[in-house]
Amino acid sequence: MKIGAIIPIRLASERLPGKALADICGRPVVAHLLDRVAASRFIADRKDVVVCTTTAATDDPLEVAVKAEGCSVFRGSIDDIIKRFGDAIEAFGFDAVIQADGDDPLSAAECMDATTEALLADPSLDIVTMRGLPLGCATKTFTRKAMQKVLAAYRTERNDTGFIYFFTKSGLCKHLDLENTKPEWRQDKARLTLDYEADLVLFRTIFEALYRPGKPFSLAEAVAFLNAHPDLVASNLDVQEEYWARTAEKAKLEFTDPSGQLRGISL
């Protein structure tokens, strides 16, 4: 199977515009994320790591930054991530993809490997996820077949928030949700996703302590650092309520089930 990685990113973020190009340790956020995704043992070539961005001119600088890191760019629909993903998978000929989010610069290659191993071990599966990880560290692995099932059934074209629910909450795909059994990967309070200025401050602190050029630090190292600094864990939690309220408001999606009936998905 040809396995790649797809990462949705656009620079016109409502809450923290241009965050993918924000500086951390002298490099843009997206560069750190690309390093971590490319570290998966299932990624044979950095060119198989594809940032799926939009055709908007505002995303031109993102394309330049990604290509400078030796990775690939696919440009497609502005609001319809499902179509963007489907078109990218076809364009690159992937049979399965690791999917990381552009907001998550601490996405963990270790977890990518675990979900990909599980997917490849059972041909009946469409998608594998993992629970029990810090918010912002979980990734997913799904097949081209899963993408085709979702493309045939989804009806909400503005799906930039909650798009993964078409795969995991609709019943369209056979889904395995692995349980994290490694205590060194567990940090139940930390918020490690980039949406607000407070998040960026936290990421800068973590990377300044742990970043080593050419060798992405592990999830276990990040968790150990956070466990040793509970004040940092608490530093951005005041945005959590707004974050989840916004997600619930925007993640209202519709699809047709196998009988043709229109159904909804919500958080």
Side-chain angles (χ1 to χ4, degrees):
M1 296 180 73
K2 183 177 181 182
I3 300 175
I6 53 176
I7 309 169
I9 307 178
R10 63 178 180 176
L11 295 181
S13 166
E14 294 177 4
R15 289 166 291 187
L16 192 60
K19 58 189 175 183
L21 299 183
D23 182 270
I24 295 181
C25 294
R27 301 178 70 207
V29 166
V30 67
H32 294 288
L33 175 56
L34 295 172
D35 283 350
R36 300 180 74 79
V37 176
S40 168
R41 61 186 180 83
F42 291 97
I43 299 298
D45 189 311
R46 285 181 74 92
K47 291 189 181 301
D48 291 331
V49 179
V50 182
V51 169
C52 298
T53 192
T54 80
T55 55
T58 51
D59 286 319
D60 291 351
L62 177 63
E63 179 172 1
V64 172
V66 172
K67 289 183 174 179
E69 296 296 327
C71 297
S72 299
V73 174
F74 180 86
R75 302 187 71 158
S77 174
I78 291 177
D79 295 313
D80 190 343
I81 286 180
I82 296 299
K83 177 170 171 49
R84 210 189 304 163
F85 279 178
D87 290 345
I89 288 171
E90 289 301 315
F92 284 86
F94 295 141
D95 298 301
V97 289
I98 295 164
Q99 193 266 300
D101 290 337
D103 297 341
D104 297 344
L106 280 181
S107 294
E110 308 95 305
C111 303
M112 300 173 206
D113 291 346
T115 55
T116 306
E117 283 176 1
L119 184 76
L120 296 180
D122 185 346
S124 73
L125 291 173
D126 293 311
I127 181 168
V128 179
T129 56
M130 182 178 284
R131 64 184 182 273
L133 298 170
L135 176 65
C137 294
T139 57
K140 316 92 180 168
T141 309
F142 61 83
T143 62
R144 180 194 291 224
K145 178 177 67 174
M147 189 77 252
Q148 291 169 342
K149 288 179 179 179
V150 170
L151 283 168
Y154 86 108
R155 293 295 175 264
T156 304
E157 295 181 355
R158 191 178 182 93
N159 50 56
D160 53 326
T161 299
F163 61 86
I164 200 63
Y165 298 156
F166 284 122
F167 295 84
T168 62
K169 290 180 175 285
S170 66
L172 295 169
C173 300
K174 185 172 181 183
H175 172 211
L176 173 64
D177 191 22
L178 295 174
E179 175 66 43
N180 169 31
T181 60
K182 296 181 180 292
E184 64 269 29
W185 290 358
R186 185 174 288 276
Q187 221 303 337
D188 294 332
K189 293 182 179 179
R191 171 191 161 77
L192 300 176
T193 191
L194 179 56
D195 288 297
Y196 302 93
E197 187 66 33
D199 301 328
L200 181 58
V201 171
L202 175 59
F203 278 121
R204 283 175 170 155
T205 303
I206 294 170
F207 275 86
E208 284 166 6
L210 301 177
Y211 173 62
R212 304 179 298 277
K215 190 175 187 295
F217 55 89
S218 68
L219 176 57
E221 288 177 277
V223 168
F225 178 74
L226 290 169
N227 288 341
H229 299 85
D231 55 320
L232 292 179
V233 174
S235 66
N236 64 339
L237 296 184
D238 59 339
V239 303
Q240 281 286 66
E241 184 176 351
E242 179 186 341
Y243 170 81
W244 285 117
R246 182 180 182 277
T247 299
E249 178 186 350
K250 295 186 63 125
K252 295 177 180 176
L253 310 170
E254 291 185 327
F255 69 99
T256 52
D257 66 17
S259 71
Q261 183 173 351
L262 187 66
R263 297 191 175 275
I265 312 170
S266 57
L267 182 63

